[in-house]
Coordinates of all heavy atoms in Angstrom, one line a residue:
M27 N 68.2 103.4 106.1 CA 69.2 104.3 106.5 C 70.0 103.7 107.6 O 69.5 103.3 108.6 CB 68.6 105.7 106.9 CG 69.7 106.7 107.2 SD 69.0 108.4 107.7 CE 68.0 108.8 106.3
R28 N 71.4 103.8 107.4 CA 72.3 103.3 108.5 C 72.8 104.5 109.3 O 72.9 105.6 108.7 CB 73.5 102.6 107.9 CG 73.1 101.3 107.2 CD 74.3 100.6 106.6 NE 74.8 101.4 105.5 CZ 76.0 101.7 105.3 NH1 77.0 101.3 106.1 NH2 76.4 102.4 104.2
K29 N 73.0 104.3 110.5 CA 73.5 105.4 111.4 C 74.7 104.9 112.2 O 74.6 103.8 112.8 CB 72.4 105.8 112.4 CG 72.7 106.8 113.4 CD 71.4 107.2 114.1 CE 71.7 107.3 115.6 NZ 70.5 107.7 116.3
I30 N 75.8 105.6 112.1 CA 77.1 105.2 112.7 C 77.6 106.3 113.6 O 77.7 107.5 113.1 CB 78.1 104.9 111.6 CG1 77.6 103.8 110.7 CG2 79.5 104.5 112.2 CD1 78.3 103.7 109.3
W31 N 77.8 106.0 114.9 CA 78.3 107.0 115.8 C 79.7 107.5 115.3 O 80.5 106.7 114.9 CB 78.5 106.4 117.2 CG 78.9 107.4 118.2 CD1 78.1 108.2 118.9 CD2 80.2 107.6 118.7 NE1 78.8 108.9 119.8 CE2 80.1 108.6 119.7 CE3 81.5 107.1 118.4 CZ2 81.2 109.1 120.4 CZ3 82.6 107.6 119.0 CH2 82.4 108.6 120.0
F32 N 79.9 108.8 115.3 CA 81.1 109.4 114.8 C 81.9 110.1 116.0 O 83.1 110.0 116.0 CB 80.8 110.5 113.8 CG 82.0 111.0 113.1 CD1 82.6 110.3 112.1 CD2 82.6 112.2 113.5 CE1 83.8 110.8 111.5 CE2 83.8 112.7 113.0 CZ 84.4 112.0 111.9
G33 N 81.2 110.8 116.9 CA 82.0 111.4 117.9 C 81.0 112.2 118.8 O 79.8 112.2 118.7
Q34 N 81.7 112.9 119.8 CA 80.9 113.7 120.7 C 81.6 114.9 121.1 O 82.9 115.0 121.1 CB 80.4 112.9 121.9 CG 81.5 112.5 122.8 CD 81.0 111.6 123.9 OE1 80.1 110.7 123.7 NE2 81.5 111.7 125.1
S35 N 80.9 116.0 121.6 CA 81.5 117.2 122.2 C 80.6 117.6 123.3 O 79.7 116.9 123.7 CB 81.6 118.3 121.1 OG 80.4 118.7 120.7
E36 N 80.9 118.7 123.9 CA 80.1 119.2 125.1 C 79.6 120.6 124.8 O 80.4 121.4 124.3 CB 81.0 119.1 126.3 CG 80.2 119.4 127.6 CD 81.1 119.3 128.8 OE1 81.7 118.2 129.0 OE2 81.1 120.2 129.6
C37 N 78.4 120.8 125.2 CA 77.8 122.2 125.1 C 77.1 122.5 126.4 O 76.1 121.7 126.7 CB 76.9 122.3 123.9 SG 76.2 123.9 123.7
C38 N 77.4 123.5 127.1 CA 76.7 123.9 128.4 C 76.6 122.7 129.3 O 75.6 122.5 130.0 CB 75.3 124.4 128.1 SG 75.3 125.9 127.0
G39 N 77.7 121.9 129.4 CA 77.7 120.8 130.3 C 77.0 119.6 129.9 O 76.9 118.6 130.6
A40 N 76.4 119.6 128.7 CA 75.7 118.4 128.2 C 76.4 117.8 127.0 O 77.1 118.6 126.2 CB 74.2 118.8 127.9
E41 N 76.2 116.6 126.7 CA 76.8 115.9 125.6 C 76.1 116.1 124.3 O 74.9 116.0 124.2 CB 76.8 114.4 126.0 CG 77.5 113.5 125.0 CD 77.5 112.0 125.5 OE1 78.4 111.7 126.3 OE2 76.6 111.3 125.0
V42 N 76.9 116.4 123.3 CA 76.3 116.5 121.9 C 76.9 115.3 121.1 O 78.2 115.1 121.1 CB 76.7 117.8 121.2 CG1 76.1 117.9 119.8 CG2 76.4 119.0 122.1
C43 N 76.1 114.5 120.5 CA 76.6 113.3 119.8 C 76.4 113.5 118.3 O 75.4 114.1 117.9 CB 75.8 112.0 120.2 SG 76.1 111.6 121.9
Y44 N 77.3 113.0 117.5 CA 77.3 113.2 116.1 C 77.4 111.8 115.4 O 78.1 110.9 115.8 CB 78.6 114.0 115.6 CG 78.6 115.3 116.3 CD1 79.2 115.5 117.6 CD2 78.0 116.4 115.7 CE1 79.2 116.7 118.2 CE2 78.0 117.6 116.4 CZ 78.7 117.8 117.6 OH 78.7 119.0 118.3
Y45 N 76.5 111.6 114.4 CA 76.4 110.4 113.7 C 76.5 110.6 112.2 O 76.1 111.6 111.7 CB 75.1 109.7 113.9 CG 74.8 109.4 115.4 CD1 74.3 110.3 116.2 CD2 75.2 108.2 115.9 CE1 74.0 110.0 117.6 CE2 75.0 107.8 117.2 CZ 74.4 108.8 118.1 OH 74.2 108.5 119.4
L46 N 77.2 109.7 111.5 CA 77.2 109.6 110.0 C 75.9 108.8 109.7 O 75.7 107.7 110.2 CB 78.4 109.0 109.5 CG 78.6 108.8 108.0 CD1 80.1 108.9 107.7 CD2 78.0 107.5 107.5
V47 N 75.1 109.3 108.8 CA 74.0 108.5 108.2 C 74.3 108.2 106.8 O 74.8 109.0 106.0 CB 72.6 109.2 108.4 CG1 72.3 109.3 109.9 CG2 72.6 110.6 107.8
A48 N 74.0 107.0 106.4 CA 74.2 106.6 105.0 C 73.0 105.9 104.4 O 72.3 105.2 105.1 CB 75.4 105.6 105.0
E49 N 72.8 106.1 103.1 CA 71.6 105.6 102.5 C 72.0 105.4 101.0 O 72.6 106.2 100.4 CB 70.4 106.5 102.6 CG 69.1 106.0 102.1 CD 68.0 106.9 102.4 OE1 68.2 108.1 102.8 OE2 66.8 106.5 102.3
E50 N 71.6 104.2 100.5 CA 71.8 104.0 99.0 C 70.7 104.6 98.2 O 69.5 104.3 98.5 CB 72.0 102.5 98.8 CG 72.5 102.2 97.4 CD 72.9 100.7 97.2 OE1 73.4 100.1 98.1 OE2 72.6 100.2 96.1
M51 N 71.1 105.3 97.2 CA 70.1 106.0 96.3 C 70.6 105.7 94.9 O 71.7 106.1 94.5 CB 70.1 107.5 96.5 CG 69.5 107.8 97.9 SD 69.5 109.6 98.0 CE 68.9 109.8 99.7
A52 N 69.8 105.0 94.1 CA 70.1 104.7 92.7 C 71.5 104.1 92.6 O 72.3 104.4 91.7 CB 70.0 106.0 91.8
G53 N 71.8 103.2 93.5 CA 73.1 102.4 93.4 C 74.3 103.2 93.9 O 75.4 102.7 93.9
V54 N 74.1 104.4 94.5 CA 75.2 105.2 95.0 C 75.0 105.5 96.5 O 73.9 105.8 96.9 CB 75.3 106.6 94.3 CG1 76.3 107.4 94.8 CG2 75.5 106.3 92.8
E55 N 76.0 105.2 97.3 CA 75.9 105.5 98.7 C 76.0 107.0 98.9 O 76.9 107.7 98.5 CB 77.1 104.8 99.4 CG 77.0 104.9 100.9 CD 76.3 103.6 101.5 OE1 75.1 103.4 101.2 OE2 77.0 102.9 102.2
R56 N 75.0 107.6 99.6 CA 74.9 109.0 99.9 C 75.0 109.2 101.4 O 74.4 108.4 102.2 CB 73.6 109.6 99.4 CG 73.4 109.5 97.9 CD 74.2 110.4 97.1 NE 74.0 111.8 97.5 CZ 74.8 112.8 97.0 NH1 75.8 112.6 96.2 NH2 74.5 114.1 97.4
Y57 N 75.7 110.2 101.9 CA 76.0 110.4 103.3 C 75.4 111.7 103.8 O 75.3 112.7 103.1 CB 77.5 110.4 103.5 CG 78.2 109.2 103.0 CD1 78.9 109.2 101.8 CD2 78.1 108.0 103.7 CE1 79.5 108.0 101.4 CE2 78.7 106.8 103.3 CZ 79.4 106.9 102.1 OH 80.0 105.7 101.6
G58 N 75.0 111.7 105.1 CA 74.5 112.8 105.8 C 74.9 112.8 107.2 O 75.8 111.9 107.6
I59 N 74.3 113.6 108.0 CA 74.7 113.7 109.4 C 73.5 113.7 110.3 O 72.4 114.1 109.9 CB 75.6 114.9 109.7 CG1 75.0 116.2 109.2 CG2 77.0 114.7 109.0 CD1 74.3 116.9 110.3
Q60 N 73.7 113.3 111.6 CA 72.7 113.5 112.6 C 73.4 114.0 113.8 O 74.4 113.5 114.2 CB 72.0 112.2 112.9 CG 70.8 112.3 113.9 CD 70.1 111.1 114.1 OE1 70.5 110.2 114.8 NE2 68.9 110.9 113.4
V61 N 72.7 115.0 114.5 CA 73.3 115.6 115.7 C 72.2 115.5 116.8 O 71.1 115.9 116.6 CB 73.7 117.1 115.5 CG1 74.2 117.7 116.7 CG2 74.7 117.2 114.3
C62 N 72.6 115.0 118.0 CA 71.7 114.8 119.1 C 72.2 115.6 120.3 O 73.4 115.5 120.6 CB 71.5 113.4 119.4 SG 71.0 112.3 118.0
Y63 N 71.3 116.3 120.9 CA 71.7 117.1 122.1 C 70.5 117.1 123.0 O 69.5 117.8 122.7 CB 72.1 118.5 121.7 CG 72.4 119.5 122.8 CD1 73.4 119.3 123.6 CD2 71.6 120.6 123.0 CE1 73.7 120.2 124.6 CE2 71.8 121.5 124.0 CZ 72.9 121.3 124.8 OH 73.2 122.2 125.8
G64 N 70.5 116.4 124.1 CA 69.4 116.2 125.0 C 68.2 115.6 124.2 O 68.3 114.6 123.6
D65 N 67.1 116.3 124.3 CA 65.9 115.9 123.5 C 65.8 116.3 122.1 O 64.9 116.0 121.4 CB 64.6 116.4 124.3 CG 64.4 115.7 125.6 OD1 65.0 114.6 125.8 OD2 63.7 116.3 126.5
E66 N 66.8 117.1 121.7 CA 66.9 117.7 120.3 C 67.7 116.7 119.4 O 68.7 116.3 119.8 CB 67.5 119.0 120.3 CG 66.8 120.1 121.0 CD 67.6 121.4 120.9 OE1 67.8 121.9 119.8 OE2 68.1 121.8 122.0
T67 N 67.1 116.5 118.2 CA 67.8 115.7 117.2 C 67.6 116.4 115.9 O 66.4 116.8 115.5 CB 67.4 114.3 117.1 OG1 67.7 113.6 118.4 CG2 68.1 113.5 116.0
E68 N 68.6 116.5 115.1 CA 68.5 117.1 113.7 C 69.3 116.2 112.8 O 70.4 115.9 113.0 CB 69.0 118.5 113.6 CG 68.7 119.2 112.3 CD 67.3 119.4 112.1 OE1 66.5 119.9 113.0 OE2 66.8 119.2 110.9
T69 N 68.6 115.8 111.7 CA 69.2 115.0 110.7 C 69.2 115.7 109.3 O 68.2 116.3 108.9 CB 68.4 113.6 110.5 OG1 68.4 113.0 111.7 CG2 69.1 112.7 109.4
V70 N 70.4 115.7 108.7 CA 70.5 116.3 107.4 C 71.1 115.2 106.5 O 72.2 114.8 106.6 CB 71.5 117.5 107.3 CG1 71.5 118.1 105.9 CG2 71.1 118.6 108.4
A71 N 70.2 114.6 105.7 CA 70.6 113.5 104.8 C 71.0 114.0 103.4 O 70.8 115.1 103.1 CB 69.3 112.6 104.7
D72 N 71.6 113.1 102.7 CA 72.0 113.3 101.3 C 72.8 114.5 101.1 O 72.5 115.3 100.2 CB 70.7 113.3 100.5 CG 71.0 113.2 99.0 OD1 72.1 112.7 98.6 OD2 70.1 113.6 98.2
I73 N 73.9 114.6 101.8 CA 74.8 115.8 101.7 C 75.8 115.6 100.6 O 76.1 116.4 99.8 CB 75.5 116.1 103.0 CG1 74.5 116.5 104.0 CG2 76.5 117.2 102.8 CD1 75.0 116.7 105.5
T74 N 76.4 114.3 100.6 CA 77.5 114.1 99.6 C 77.6 112.5 99.4 O 77.1 111.8 100.2 CB 78.9 114.6 100.1 OG1 79.9 114.4 99.2 CG2 79.3 114.0 101.5
S75 N 78.3 112.2 98.3 CA 78.6 110.8 98.1 C 80.1 110.5 98.5 O 80.5 109.3 98.3 CB 78.3 110.4 96.7 OG 79.1 111.1 95.8
S76 N 80.8 111.4 99.0 CA 82.2 111.3 99.3 C 82.4 111.0 100.8 O 82.0 111.8 101.6 CB 82.9 112.6 99.0 OG 84.2 112.6 99.5
Q77 N 82.9 109.8 101.1 CA 83.2 109.5 102.5 C 84.2 110.5 103.1 O 84.0 110.9 104.2 CB 83.8 108.1 102.6 CG 82.9 107.0 102.3 CD 83.5 105.6 102.5 OE1 84.7 105.5 102.7 NE2 82.7 104.6 102.4
R78 N 85.2 110.9 102.3 CA 86.2 111.8 102.8 C 85.5 113.2 103.2 O 85.8 113.8 104.2 CB 87.3 112.0 101.8 CG 88.4 112.9 102.3 CD 89.5 113.1 101.2 NE 90.7 113.8 101.5 CZ 90.9 114.9 102.1 NH1 89.9 115.5 102.7 NH2 92.0 115.4 102.3
Q79 N 84.7 113.7 102.3 CA 84.0 115.0 102.6 C 83.1 114.9 103.8 O 83.1 115.9 104.6 CB 83.3 115.4 101.3 CG 84.2 115.8 100.2 CD 85.1 117.0 100.6 OE1 84.7 118.0 101.1 NE2 86.4 116.8 100.3
I80 N 82.3 113.9 103.9 CA 81.4 113.8 105.1 C 82.2 113.7 106.4 O 81.8 114.2 107.4 CB 80.4 112.7 104.9 CG1 79.1 113.0 105.8 CG2 80.9 111.3 105.2 CD1 78.3 114.2 105.4
Q81 N 83.4 113.0 106.3 CA 84.2 112.9 107.5 C 84.8 114.2 107.9 O 84.9 114.6 109.1 CB 85.3 111.9 107.3 CG 84.8 110.4 107.4 CD 85.8 109.4 107.1 OE1 86.9 109.7 106.5 NE2 85.5 108.2 107.5
L82 N 85.2 115.0 106.9 CA 85.7 116.4 107.2 C 84.6 117.2 107.8 O 84.9 118.0 108.7 CB 86.2 117.0 105.9 CG 87.5 116.4 105.3 CD1 87.8 117.0 103.9 CD2 88.7 116.6 106.3
L83 N 83.4 117.2 107.2 CA 82.3 117.9 107.8 C 82.0 117.5 109.2 O 81.9 118.4 110.1 CB 81.1 117.7 106.9 CG 79.8 118.4 107.5 CD1 79.9 119.9 107.7 CD2 78.6 118.1 106.6
L84 N 82.0 116.2 109.5 CA 81.7 115.7 110.9 C 82.8 116.2 111.8 O 82.5 116.6 112.9 CB 81.5 114.2 110.9 CG 80.1 113.8 110.5 CD1 80.1 112.3 110.0 CD2 79.1 114.0 111.6
D85 N 84.1 116.1 111.4 CA 85.2 116.6 112.2 C 85.0 118.0 112.6 O 85.2 118.4 113.7 CB 86.5 116.5 111.5 CG 87.1 115.0 111.4 OD1 86.7 114.2 112.3 OD2 87.9 114.7 110.5
A86 N 84.6 118.9 111.6 CA 84.3 120.3 111.9 C 83.1 120.5 112.8 O 83.2 121.3 113.7 CB 84.0 121.0 110.6
L87 N 82.1 119.7 112.7 CA 80.9 119.8 113.6 C 81.3 119.5 115.0 O 81.0 120.1 116.0 CB 79.8 118.9 113.1 CG 79.2 119.2 111.8 CD1 78.1 118.2 111.4 CD2 78.5 120.6 111.8
V88 N 82.1 118.4 115.2 CA 82.5 117.9 116.5 C 83.4 119.0 117.1 O 83.3 119.4 118.3 CB 83.2 116.6 116.5 CG1 83.9 116.2 117.8 CG2 82.2 115.5 116.0
W89 N 84.4 119.4 116.4 CA 85.4 120.4 116.9 C 84.7 121.7 117.3 O 85.0 122.3 118.3 CB 86.4 120.7 115.8 CG 87.4 121.7 116.2 CD1 88.6 121.4 116.9 CD2 87.5 123.1 116.0 NE1 89.3 122.6 117.2 CE2 88.6 123.6 116.6 CE3 86.6 124.0 115.3 CZ2 88.9 125.0 116.6 CZ3 86.9 125.3 115.3 CH2 88.1 125.8 115.9
G90 N 83.6 122.1 116.5 CA 82.9 123.4 116.8 C 81.8 123.2 117.8 O 81.2 124.2 118.2
G91 N 81.5 122.0 118.2 CA 80.4 121.8 119.2 C 79.1 122.2 118.7 O 78.2 122.7 119.4
V92 N 78.8 122.0 117.4 CA 77.6 122.4 116.7 C 76.4 121.6 117.3 O 76.5 120.4 117.4 CB 77.7 122.3 115.2 CG1 76.4 122.7 114.5 CG2 78.9 123.2 114.7
T93 N 75.4 122.3 117.7 CA 74.2 121.7 118.2 C 73.1 121.5 117.1 O 73.2 122.1 116.0 CB 73.6 122.5 119.3 OG1 73.2 123.8 118.8 CG2 74.6 122.7 120.5
P94 N 72.0 120.7 117.4 CA 71.0 120.6 116.4 C 70.4 121.9 115.9 O 70.0 122.0 114.7 CB 69.9 119.7 117.1 CG 70.7 118.9 118.1 CD 71.8 119.9 118.5
A95 N 70.3 122.9 116.7 CA 69.7 124.1 116.4 C 70.5 124.9 115.2 O 69.9 125.6 114.4 CB 69.6 125.1 117.6
A96 N 71.8 124.6 115.2 CA 72.6 125.4 114.2 C 73.1 124.5 113.0 O 73.7 125.0 112.1 CB 73.8 126.0 114.9
V97 N 72.9 123.2 113.1 CA 73.6 122.3 112.2 C 73.2 122.5 110.7 O 74.0 122.5 109.8 CB 73.4 120.8 112.6 CG1 72.0 120.3 112.3 CG2 74.4 120.0 111.8
R98 N 71.9 122.8 110.4 CA 71.5 123.1 109.0 C 72.2 124.3 108.5 O 72.6 124.3 107.3 CB 70.0 123.2 108.9 CG 69.3 121.9 109.1 CD 67.8 121.9 108.6 NE 67.3 120.6 108.8 CZ 67.3 119.7 107.8 NH1 67.8 120.0 106.6 NH2 66.7 118.5 108.0
D99 N 72.3 125.4 109.2 CA 73.0 126.5 108.8 C 74.5 126.2 108.5 O 75.1 126.7 107.5 CB 72.9 127.7 109.8 CG 71.5 128.3 109.8 OD1 70.8 128.2 108.8 OD2 71.2 128.8 110.9
V100 N 75.1 125.5 109.4 CA 76.5 125.1 109.2 C 76.7 124.3 107.9 O 77.6 124.5 107.2 CB 77.1 124.4 110.5 CG1 78.5 123.9 110.2 CG2 77.1 125.3 111.6
V101 N 75.8 123.3 107.7 CA 75.9 122.4 106.6 C 75.7 123.3 105.3 O 76.5 123.1 104.3 CB 74.9 121.3 106.6 CG1 74.8 120.6 105.3 CG2 75.3 120.3 107.7
E102 N 74.8 124.2 105.3 CA 74.6 125.0 104.1 C 75.8 125.9 103.8 O 76.2 126.0 102.7 CB 73.4 126.0 104.4 CG 73.0 126.8 103.2 CD 71.8 127.7 103.4 OE1 70.8 127.2 104.1 OE2 71.8 128.8 103.0
D103 N 76.4 126.5 104.9 CA 77.6 127.2 104.7 C 78.7 126.3 104.1 O 79.5 126.7 103.2 CB 78.1 127.9 106.0 CG 77.2 129.0 106.4 OD1 76.4 129.5 105.6 OD2 77.3 129.5 107.6
W104 N 78.8 125.1 104.6 CA 79.9 124.2 104.2 C 79.7 123.8 102.8 O 80.7 123.7 102.0 CB 79.8 122.9 105.1 CG 80.9 121.9 104.9 CD1 82.2 121.9 105.3 CD2 80.7 120.7 104.0 NE1 82.8 120.8 104.8 CE2 82.0 120.1 104.0 CE3 79.7 120.2 103.3 CZ2 82.2 118.9 103.4 CZ3 79.9 119.0 102.6 CH2 81.1 118.4 102.7
L105 N 78.5 123.6 102.3 CA 78.2 123.2 100.9 C 78.5 124.4 100.0 O 78.8 124.2 98.8 CB 76.7 122.8 100.8 CG 76.4 121.4 101.4 CD1 74.9 121.2 101.4 CD2 77.1 120.3 100.6
N106 N 78.3 125.6 100.5 CA 78.5 126.8 99.6 C 79.9 127.4 99.7 O 80.2 128.5 99.2 CB 77.5 127.8 100.0 CG 76.1 127.4 99.5 OD1 75.9 126.9 98.4 ND2 75.1 127.6 100.4
R107 N 80.8 126.7 100.4 CA 82.2 127.2 100.6 C 82.9 127.2 99.3 O 82.7 126.3 98.4 CB 82.9 126.4 101.6 CG 83.4 125.1 101.1 CD 83.8 124.1 102.3 NE 84.3 122.9 101.8 CZ 83.6 121.9 101.3 NH1 82.4 122.0 101.1 NH2 84.2 120.8 100.9
P108 N 83.8 128.2 99.1 CA 84.6 128.1 97.8 C 85.6 126.9 97.9 O 86.1 126.6 98.9 CB 85.4 129.5 97.9 CG 85.2 130.0 99.2 CD 84.1 129.3 99.9
E109 N 85.7 126.3 96.7 CA 86.7 125.2 96.6 C 88.1 125.7 96.8 O 88.5 126.8 96.3 CB 86.5 124.5 95.3 CG 85.2 123.8 95.2 CD 85.0 122.7 96.2 OE1 85.9 121.9 96.5 OE2 83.8 122.6 96.8
M110 N 88.9 124.9 97.4 CA 90.3 125.3 97.6 C 91.2 124.6 96.7 O 91.0 123.6 96.3 CB 90.7 125.1 99.1 CG 89.9 126.0 100.0 SD 90.6 125.8 101.7 CE 89.2 126.5 102.6

């Protein structure tokens, strides 16, 4: 699994870091995210095969200052959003 720094935000005076994680599965690159805040880290792998979609999700996470405690709920909501 590869991990690429994407961005950071701040929560309660501490830095929250966001990473894109990538892994090849059956010849297809699959993307996920990792969020780190202090000693907390949460990784959600295999979200999408679309680079554009994972970048949009990561942009939303950074903008919203989402922490590891909430990231799985946010990703679930993002995956279940109505298509526009």
Side-chain angles (χ1 to χ4, degrees):
M27 182 180 302
R28 292 179 294 134
K29 179 171 133 178
I30 302 163
W31 185 85
F32 187 84
Q34 68 186 39
S35 66
E36 187 177 308
C37 179
C38 300
E41 185 177 276
V42 184
C43 294
Y44 303 87
Y45 299 89
L46 181 147
V47 294
E49 187 171 14
E50 190 170 320
M51 296 180 180
V54 177
E55 189 93 296
R56 299 289 299 173
Y57 303 103
I59 54 98
Q60 185 175 80
V61 180
C62 302
Y63 176 65
D65 292 337
E66 295 177 65
T67 298
E68 187 66 45
T69 302
V70 183
D72 193 19
I73 297 171
T74 183
S75 61
S76 169
Q77 287 181 355
R78 184 179 187 315
Q79 291 300 311
I80 202 66
Q81 288 176 338
L82 290 172
L83 173 58
L84 279 160
D85 283 337
L87 296 174
V88 172
W89 182 83
V92 177
T93 63
V97 74
R98 285 193 179 271
D99 289 334
V100 173
V101 170
E102 185 177 319
D103 289 346
W104 183 84
L105 287 170
N106 292 314
R107 74 196 185 287
E109 293 299 318
M110 295 185 196

